[in-house]
Amino acid sequence: GQNIDQPTEMTATEGAIVQINCTYQTSGFNGLFWYQQHAGEAPTFLSYNVLDGLEEKGRFSSFLSRSKGYSYLLLKELQMKDSASYLCAVRDQDDKIIFGKGTRLHILP
Amino acid sequence: EAQVTQNPRYLITVTGKKLTVTCSQNMNHEYMSWYRQDPGLGLRQIYYSMNVEVTDKGDVPEGYKVSRKEKRNFPLILESPSPNQTSLYFCASRRQGNNQPQHFGDGTRLSIL
């Protein structure tokens, strides 16, 4: 079956760095997305990876290893507004998007 | 402004009373889909459409219907709602292409009593 795993919750301190991991087992692979979702709001797109390696976008970076079925989202210089859920999603060989259950990130002052 | 618009944003209704949640996008996207989001279960796809007049079941289609008569609209229909359909619903659209992210509407919170 198709499966995406990510931690349920994480806590980090304002100004610090946090890494949110995602592992996946899917029918084929056509790319991995990370979304941010604040409570009660719509998910918003953060990053896309399809080749191995690191994609950097300001304070956020995303890494992919296709051979290991593994990705992480790295958030630097954490701010209180980064308190949100982070969703890992994979596009499979049939162009279907499968979402993980999300990681709720708490930022402490 | 590029957006996906859902209506209503909130609805409380009773079991068995047919309802429709509308979704409209102004970005000329080919692909549209509906998700429900429940605590501990994440986003689960209900139905999707790759273009006009083409719809397919997602992971949890039971109790729902959709139609795609025009490119911009993708309504979600609950013919006979039941309490287990109480949830937060999101409509999303995107262009065709592997690297195209989904754009989500603001969500519809449905409560079925």
Side-chain angles (χ1 to χ4, degrees):
Chain A
Q2 315 237 65
N3 195 49
I4 297 181
D5 283 317
Q6 40 180 141
T8 305
E9 284 190 87
M10 299 182 71
T11 301
T13 305
E14 192 176 14
I17 300 173
V18 71
Q19 178 175 310
I20 303 173
N21 296 326
C22 170
T23 58
Y24 62 89
Q25 291 132 358
T26 56
S27 305
F29 178 84
N30 275 322
L32 185 144
F33 297 84
W34 283 96
Y35 289 84
Q36 181 190 59
Q37 185 179 25
H38 286 99
E41 296 182 11
T44 54
F45 169 70
L46 288 177
S47 69
Y48 172 76
N49 294 72
V50 67
L51 300 176
D52 285 358
L54 190 69
E55 294 280 341
E56 296 189 76
K57 255 188 191 182
R59 293 189 299 115
F60 292 7
S61 304
S62 56
F63 171 83
L64 176 68
S65 168
R66 292 179 65 153
S67 62
K68 294 182 179 169
Y70 167 70
S71 173
Y72 67 72
L73 181 69
L74 192 72
L75 292 75
K76 301 176 190 173
E77 300 166 20
L78 285 169
Q79 302 174 8
M80 297 304 293
K81 68 178 182 180
D82 298 329
S83 291
S85 289
Y86 292 85
L87 313 180
C88 175
V90 172
R91 177 168 286 143
D92 72 6
Q93 64 189 15
D94 298 320
D95 206 31
K96 183 174 177 176
I97 309 287
I98 304 119
F99 280 86
K101 293 180 179 155
T103 298
R104 194 175 310 154
L105 178 63
H106 304 277
I107 310 295
L108 303 177
Chain B
E1 181 191 348
Q3 58 187 6
V4 179
T5 305
Q6 295 178 226
N7 278 298
R9 292 290 315 279
Y10 304 91
L11 179 64
I12 302 174
T13 187
V14 295
T15 298
K17 186 176 180 184
K18 181 180 177 179
L19 67 92
T20 299
V21 185
T22 62
C23 174
S24 181
Q25 50 94 4
N26 63 0
M27 296 168 279
N28 203 35
H29 287 170
E30 294 84 7
Y31 190 102
M32 297 185 75
S33 57
W34 276 103
Y35 294 88
R36 60 179 289 174
Q37 188 173 39
D38 302 287
L41 296 177
L43 278 166
R44 293 181 293 166
Q45 192 177 54
I46 302 169
Y47 268 95
Y48 65 97
S49 168
M50 303 189 90
N51 217 321
V52 176
E53 301 293 0
V54 179
T55 63
D56 278 296
K57 295 178 180 179
D59 297 315
V60 288
E62 295 78 19
Y64 304 94
K65 284 172 59 175
V66 292
S67 68
R68 188 91 183 273
K69 295 191 174 78
E70 307 157 290
K71 199 171 189 179
R72 63 183 294 127
N73 295 326
F74 191 45
L76 179 70
I77 302 151
L78 285 72
E79 293 269 3
S80 183
S82 62
N84 65 9
Q85 293 177 298
T86 292
S87 187
L88 178 59
Y89 291 84
F90 287 103
C91 180
S93 74
R94 65 173 174 87
R95 293 194 190 289
Q96 299 284 26
N98 285 348
N99 66 341
Q100 298 299 312
Q102 298 203 78
H103 299 258
F104 286 84
D106 286 336
T108 296
R109 191 168 289 282
L110 279 183
S111 293
I112 316 292
L113 305 177

